[in-house]
């Protein structure tokens, strides 16, 4: 009898366990009169996937909490059209398999209205089809891959960062105008980030003298820096994440290799890189990079004043770096989109509102959104590290990811509204 | 699924003849399980269906691993890498020919071949040396993907081209059916395999190699076969994961996955296919549980690491309370009742 009892017991236990799982969900929000997932008369639920732990968490784990802090600030000021924003943050550890699970959990169980600012090229690529078939708006993806800009194939997906090719063209233009005749080389991540960036650089400069790549799973760039030194490079463009920017600069210094580093905005936040370098942080002096949002150290900037206030009130006064500026800028843009979509919020209306564009926010250059173009910011301005702080110089540039020219942008930056919350 | 005895129960107290005859045939258990799964897929909401599918995918590899480790006594820390082999093969063949059955077959075939190669080497190694070899296999995977980055696309990995399921079935239900069909077939084959002569050989080699050799069992062949069989199961599992995630990358098959698999079959009950099922269930439930624990505690930073802690605590508790694993609990209870009667 024992065997049968065992079998029967196990089946019952399994059923009970699974049934238990069904009941403990409890995340589904009752829909209001509009019957839109995640939207009631008093609440809008949105979700995101971020690496809060794991190899990519350094710096990036501060983004989603900063966005949430901005939403808390908006909620404390009455919300959007009377609705409070709830932001559900799920940790995927930068692992695509986890991303699949947590995004399904957000969409199918927590019934979120939209996915906002999901981070990472490999992670987010895997959920594009799932979000499309479920008609979930996939707003402002946190990565500069050109994959987000496929309006025909993925009508609900929109980018935020400038494309890595756009950035590469702008960094290339800087080198062409200021470091002409110097031997230029390239070190990039072995994925879309590095490849797209290199393509942009070479569109402007032609073939680089030497190119190397690295993978995040192998934290040693000794061979690469050695090869670049041997090739006699005078300028090295880095398409690296913060940890590897620090590693590259440190390794170069160790082998007495002192080129001019020109770094992608993704890996150039001086606070994050400086912390990794520790006592060697002064090596960053003179580093050229690009950005498209106000800089965390620019105390006079009204956006920074606003974000610092929000950070103090709603983010536990976390160390104020450019990741926080980024996260709050995303939050600001989303609130703008919600305002523009109107009181009767639906998924179609928010997509239309984003395509209509016309948002003016912290960004130095305009966003490019239209029915055909779903890529994010149109360009960047260059920064240089002076006395441990990045400062802007010159004017912002805009360009496209094709063969379009790189042109100086003359438009003026706007100031935030008095309340800190955008209006319709 | 009931065919295998857990290790602590074998040995001194052999089963009485009468009890042996009353065993339920695996085909019946599998048929019942199939009915249960189909019912569950209609009852459960979509996200639970997806989790159910994931349990099915894990079940393939834990079942194979429990045969290797629990019944044959070979410890493998490289089954995550074998899963990766299956997953990458599926991705490459699927993106080339877009024929899912062919891709699945290719995935199993390639993984089995790799399993045979490792198994041949493994048959000469014992205990920690074997663990070391398989550990090396687990670590090599990311380097392979970055060395041959034109084929494997480095850390970013490959996306898997898939046709959507027929209109009338929701995606998650379809995934659960596919994963569980594969899992039940795998488990049925394993159950049939280990209840016969092969199973006896496996156990004999595990318990005493010299005695087994004297009894005329070819030790090396048994060990290699056990490795090949469990590698094939890992291949199926990896292919299912590629199908579920629609993408393959080295990050999805880290060293911790291999360690989690070993931990799961130990908690579930080493050497029992029911234990493998418990293990598969835990691999899905525990991370989710630890995440919601982390959320309730208000910490967003700990979640990823919390899963490890929860796993460790469960391991300690289960080993103290039920050394035979979760699968041994029902029989322990019934033994207790009988003793008190």
């Amino acid at each position: 009898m024992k065997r049968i009892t065992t079998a029967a017991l196990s089946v019952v236990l399994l059923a009970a366990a699974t049934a238990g799982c069904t009941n403990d969900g409890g995340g589904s929000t009752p829909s209001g009169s509009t019957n839109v997932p995640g939207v009631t008369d008093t609440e809008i639920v949105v979700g995101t996937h971020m690496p809060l732990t794991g190899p990519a968490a350094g710096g990036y784990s501060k983004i989603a909490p900063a966005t949430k802090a901005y939403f808390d600030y908006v909620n404390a000021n009455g919300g959007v059209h009377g609705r409070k924003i709830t932001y559900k943050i799920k940790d995927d550890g930068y692992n695509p398999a986890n991303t699949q699970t947590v995004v399904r959990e957000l969409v199918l169980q927590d019934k979120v209205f939209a996915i906002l600012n999901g981070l990472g090229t490999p992670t987010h690529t895997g959920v594009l089809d799932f979000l499309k078939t479920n008609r979930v708006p996939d707003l402002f993806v946190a990565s500069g891959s050109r994959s987000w800009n496929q309006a025909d194939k993925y009508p609900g997906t929109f980018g935020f960062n400038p494309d890595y090719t756009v950035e590469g063209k702008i960094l290339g233009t800087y080198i062409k105008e200021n470091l002409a005749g110097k031997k230029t080389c390239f070190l990039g991540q072995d994925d879309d980030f590095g490849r797209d960036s290199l393509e942009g650089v070479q569109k402007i400069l032609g073939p680089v003298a030497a190119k190397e790549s690295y993978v995040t799973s192998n934290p040693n760039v000794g061979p690469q820096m050695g090869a670049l030194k041997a090739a006699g490079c005078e300028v090295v463009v880095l398409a690296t994440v913060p940890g590897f920017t620090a590693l590259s600069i440190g390794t170069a210094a160790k082998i007495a290799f002192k080129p001019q580093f020109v770094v992608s905005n993704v890996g150039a936040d001086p606070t994050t890189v400086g912390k990794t370098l520790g006592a060697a942080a002064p090596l960053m002096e003179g580093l050229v990079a690009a950005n498209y949002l106000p800089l965390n150290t620019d105390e006079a900037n009204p956006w920074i004043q606003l974000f610092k206030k929000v950070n103090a009130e709603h983010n536990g006064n976390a160390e104020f770096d450019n990741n926080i500026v980024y996260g709050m800028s995303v939050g600001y843009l989303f609130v703008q989109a919600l305002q523009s979509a109107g009181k009767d919020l639906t998924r179609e209306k928010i997509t239309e509102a984003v395509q209509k564009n016309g948002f003016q926010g912290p960004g130095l250059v305009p966003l490019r959104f239209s029915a055909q173009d779903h890529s994010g910011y149109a360009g960047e301005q260059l920064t240089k590290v002076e006395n441990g702080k990045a400062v802007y110089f010159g004017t912002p540039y805009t360009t496209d990811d094709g063969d379009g020219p790189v042109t100086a942008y003359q438009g003026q930056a706007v100031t935030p509204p008095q309340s800190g919350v955008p209006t319709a | 699924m009931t065919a295998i005895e857990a290790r602590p129960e074998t040995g001194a107290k052999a089963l009485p003849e009468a009890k042996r005859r009353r065993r339920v045939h695996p085909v019946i258990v599998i048929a019942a399980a199939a009915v249960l799964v189909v019912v569950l897929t209609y009852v459960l909401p979509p996200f639970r269906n997806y989790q159910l599918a994931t349990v099915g995918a894990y079940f393939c590899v834990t079942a194979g691993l429990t045969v290797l480790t629990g019944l044959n006594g070979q410890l493998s820390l490289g089954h995550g890498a074998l899963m990766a082999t299956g997953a990458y093969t599926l991705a490459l063949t699927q993106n080339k020919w877009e024929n899912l059955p062919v891709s699945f077959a290719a995935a199993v075939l390639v993984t089995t071949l790799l399993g045979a190669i490792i198994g041949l080497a493994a048959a000469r190694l014992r205990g920690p040396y074997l663990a070391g070899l398989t550990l090396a296999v687990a670590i090599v995977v990311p380097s392979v993907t970055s060395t041959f980055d034109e084929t494997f696309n480095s850390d970013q990995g490959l996306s898997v081209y898939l046709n959507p399921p027929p209109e009338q079935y929701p995606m998650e239900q379809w995934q659960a059916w596919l994963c569980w069909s594969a899992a039940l077939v795998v488990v049925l084959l394993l159950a049939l395999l280990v209840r016969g002569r092969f199973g006896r050989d496996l156990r004999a080699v595990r318990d005493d190699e010299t005695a087994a050799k004297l009894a005329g069992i070819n030790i090396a062949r048994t060990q290699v076969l056990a490795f090949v069989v469990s590698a094939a199961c890992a291949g199926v599992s990896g292919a299912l994961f590629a199908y579920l995630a629609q993408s393959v990358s080295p990050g999805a098959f880290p060293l911790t996955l291999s360690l989690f698999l070993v931990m799961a079959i130990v908690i579930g009950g080493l050497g029992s296919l029911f234990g493998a099922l418990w293990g598969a269930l835990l691999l899905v439930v525990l991370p989710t549980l630890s995440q919601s624990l982390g959320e309730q505690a208000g910490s967003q930073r700990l979640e990823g690491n919390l899963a490890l802690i929860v796993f460790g605590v469960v391991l300690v508790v289960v080993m103290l309370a039920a050394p035979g694993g979760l699968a041994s609990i029902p029989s322990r209870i019934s033994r207790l009742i009988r003793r008190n009667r």
Side-chain angles (χ1 to χ4, degrees):
Chain A
M1 256 336 267
K2 198 186 83 189
R3 282 282 133 196
I4 297 174
T5 335
T6 315
L9 246 176
S10 306
V11 169
V12 170
L13 279 174
L14 171 64
T18 354
C21 290
T22 347
N23 297 337
D24 72 9
S28 60
T29 19
S31 290
S33 52
T34 48
N35 207 19
V36 180
V39 179
T40 65
D41 291 340
T42 55
E43 194 187 25
I44 305 165
V45 186
V46 284
T48 193
H49 63 90
M50 288 270 163
L52 301 179
T53 55
Y60 296 161
S61 61
K62 296 173 87 171
I63 293 175
T67 312
K68 187 173 166 41
Y70 182 73
F71 289 154
D72 289 344
Y73 175 78
V74 171
N75 292 343
N77 282 281
V80 184
H81 295 301
R83 296 186 180 104
K84 305 251 187 283
I85 304 170
T86 304
Y87 196 38
K88 295 200 169 224
I89 305 165
K90 297 281 180 192
D91 179 16
D92 63 8
Y94 211 65
N95 176 341
N98 290 352
T99 313
Q100 282 285 333
T101 308
V102 298
V103 168
R104 275 187 164 77
E105 191 176 354
L106 288 168
V107 170
L108 299 174
Q109 187 170 305
D110 298 346
K111 306 257 188 284
V112 294
F113 170 67
I115 295 291
L116 176 65
N117 201 224
L119 190 145
T121 309
T123 47
H124 200 77
T125 307
V127 292
L128 285 177
D129 283 305
F130 171 75
L131 293 176
K132 179 195 176 183
T133 42
N134 284 273
R135 297 175 196 286
V136 182
D138 178 19
L139 302 176
F140 318 139
V141 184
S143 140
S145 168
R146 285 177 290 176
S147 307
W148 325 135
N149 183 19
Q150 303 183 62
D152 296 333
K153 206 168 159 201
Y154 298 110
T157 298
F158 295 87
F160 182 81
N161 299 26
D163 289 340
Y164 297 132
T165 308
V166 166
E167 175 173 72
K169 282 169 77 174
I170 290 169
L171 296 180
T173 305
Y174 166 78
I175 295 167
K176 194 176 170 185
E177 286 173 0
N178 298 283
L179 303 164
K182 298 220 173 181
K183 206 166 192 182
T184 302
C185 304
F186 183 87
L187 172 69
Q189 197 159 300
D190 194 6
D191 56 18
D192 283 354
F193 171 25
R195 286 190 287 262
D196 287 2
S197 183
L198 178 63
E199 190 182 323
V201 172
Q202 293 191 338
K203 266 182 204 270
I204 303 296
L205 297 177
V208 293
K211 56 186 174 198
E212 293 289 326
S213 68
Y214 72 90
V215 289
T216 46
S217 49
N218 179 12
N220 173 21
V221 294
Q224 289 93 328
M225 295 324 280
L228 294 180
K229 186 188 181 188
C233 304
E234 293 162 287
V235 178
V236 173
V237 182
L238 294 178
T240 47
V241 293
F244 278 81
T245 309
L247 201 57
S248 305
I249 295 173
T251 310
K254 258 189 218 160
I255 57 171
F257 172 43
K258 291 208 164 59
Q260 170 67 52
F261 284 108
V262 178
V263 189
S264 158
N265 91 83
V266 175
D269 175 39
T271 317
T272 316
V273 177
K275 208 187 273 169
T276 316
L277 280 173
L283 288 173
M284 280 193 299
E285 213 55 27
L287 184 126
V288 172
N291 206 329
Y292 51 98
L293 295 171
L295 295 170
N296 62 328
T297 46
D298 185 3
E299 308 274 350
N301 187 303
W303 290 100
I304 296 300
Q305 290 163 0
L306 167 67
F307 290 161
K308 275 201 149 165
K309 190 175 100 180
V310 175
N311 190 48
E313 288 172 8
H314 296 280
N315 204 20
N317 224 349
E319 192 190 6
F320 192 79
D321 62 14
N322 283 326
N323 293 300
I324 290 182
V325 176
Y326 179 97
M328 293 200 183
S329 302
V330 169
Y332 189 87
L333 179 62
F334 181 63
V335 172
Q336 282 183 309
L338 285 180
Q339 294 283 18
S340 162
K343 184 148 183 53
D344 300 321
L345 184 62
T346 63
R347 285 174 163 175
E348 290 73 31
K349 278 194 180 151
I350 193 122
T351 314
E352 276 169 33
V354 175
Q355 284 187 352
K356 205 168 68 193
N357 198 3
F359 306 125
Q360 287 255 300
L364 309 179
V365 294
L367 289 146
R368 277 190 298 205
F369 299 136
S370 72
Q372 294 80 37
D373 197 338
H374 284 193
S375 64
Y377 277 103
E380 295 184 327
Q381 186 173 347
L382 293 153
T383 65
K384 187 173 233 161
V385 176
E386 286 168 4
N387 303 319
K389 273 187 186 179
V391 282
Y392 276 122
F393 64 91
T395 59
Y397 292 96
T398 59
T399 185
D400 60 13
D401 57 18
D403 294 320
V406 178
T407 47
Y409 175 72
Q410 303 300 345
Q412 284 301 306
V414 294
T415 51
Q418 198 65 42
S419 66
V421 180
T423 46
Chain B
M1 288 203 280
T2 57
I4 308 175
E5 276 296 318
R7 189 173 184 175
E9 292 174 43
T10 55
K13 277 190 292 173
L15 286 176
E17 266 309 301
K19 197 166 259 178
R20 191 168 290 254
R21 243 178 278 129
R22 243 185 279 136
R23 270 186 189 174
V24 187
H25 195 273
V27 172
I28 299 171
V29 181
I30 294 292
V35 172
L36 180 70
V37 166
V38 171
V39 171
L40 279 176
T41 56
Y42 279 100
V43 177
L44 294 176
F47 178 62
R48 295 301 174 198
N49 262 329
Y50 177 77
Q51 285 187 314
L52 185 68
T54 317
V55 173
Y58 272 126
F59 193 15
C60 296
V61 60
T62 51
L65 191 59
T66 208
V67 166
L68 180 74
T69 306
L71 291 183
N72 195 224
Q74 302 190 67
L75 177 62
S76 167
L77 298 178
H79 265 52
L82 291 169
M83 286 171 70
T85 310
Y88 271 101
T89 313
L90 180 103
L92 290 170
T93 42
Q94 184 65 14
N95 291 347
K96 189 149 196 182
W97 292 299
E98 290 175 25
N99 185 331
L100 202 57
V102 170
S103 309
F104 260 98
V108 178
L109 192 73
V110 171
T111 317
T112 311
L113 282 176
L114 183 69
I117 295 169
I118 302 172
L120 280 174
R124 294 163 194 282
L125 298 172
R126 297 287 174 274
Y129 303 102
L130 176 60
L133 171 78
T134 49
L135 187 66
V137 175
I139 290 169
V140 156
V141 169
S143 329
V144 170
T145 59
S146 52
T147 308
F148 304 100
D149 56 349
E150 299 206 337
T151 314
F152 299 112
N153 200 14
S154 204
D155 277 0
Q156 192 173 325
L158 305 166
S159 37
V160 180
Y161 181 87
L162 290 171
N163 284 316
E167 273 298 310
Q168 64 268 34
Y169 303 113
M171 182 72 178
E172 286 71 28
Q173 198 176 18
W174 186 259
Q175 287 171 326
W177 286 345
L178 184 88
C179 289
W180 274 93
S181 315
L184 292 179
V185 168
V186 162
V187 172
L188 177 64
L189 292 177
L190 285 177
L192 292 175
L193 193 66
V194 299
R195 79 202 304 259
R197 169 165 180 180
F198 182 61
R200 276 197 308 279
D201 288 357
L202 287 180
R203 273 172 289 232
V205 170
R206 173 196 67 193
D207 291 338
D208 191 332
E209 282 193 18
T210 320
K213 208 170 203 164
L214 283 172
I217 297 170
N218 185 333
I219 309 266
R221 193 174 63 196
T222 312
Q223 286 181 326
V224 174
L225 267 180
F227 209 99
V228 168
V229 165
S230 85
C233 297
V236 176
S237 181
L240 289 173
F241 270 98
Y243 166 82
L244 280 177
Q246 295 172 20
S247 75
V248 193
S249 61
F253 304 96
L255 182 59
T256 40
L257 173 65
S258 301
L259 300 179
F260 271 156
L261 291 176
V262 175
M263 210 138 69
I265 60 165
V266 172
I267 298 177
L270 208 52
S272 138
L273 291 180
F274 255 121
L277 176 60
W278 284 113
L281 201 62
L282 285 177
L283 282 170
V284 174
V285 171
L286 282 187
T288 318
L289 202 70
S290 61
Q291 180 156 17
S292 57
L293 270 177
E295 268 168 25
Q296 275 161 15
S299 145
Q300 273 164 356
R301 293 293 159 77
L302 253 179
E303 285 161 28
N305 304 325
L306 206 58
L308 283 165
I309 300 172
V310 171
F311 250 109
V313 169
V314 170
L315 184 68
V316 170
V317 169
V318 169
M319 286 304 105
L320 285 176
L326 292 178
S328 73
I329 290 179
S331 62
R332 290 175 84 82
I333 292 174
S334 67
R335 217 179 305 156
L336 261 180
I337 294 171
R338 238 178 299 140
R339 205 175 299 157
N340 293 343
R341 225 184 285 160

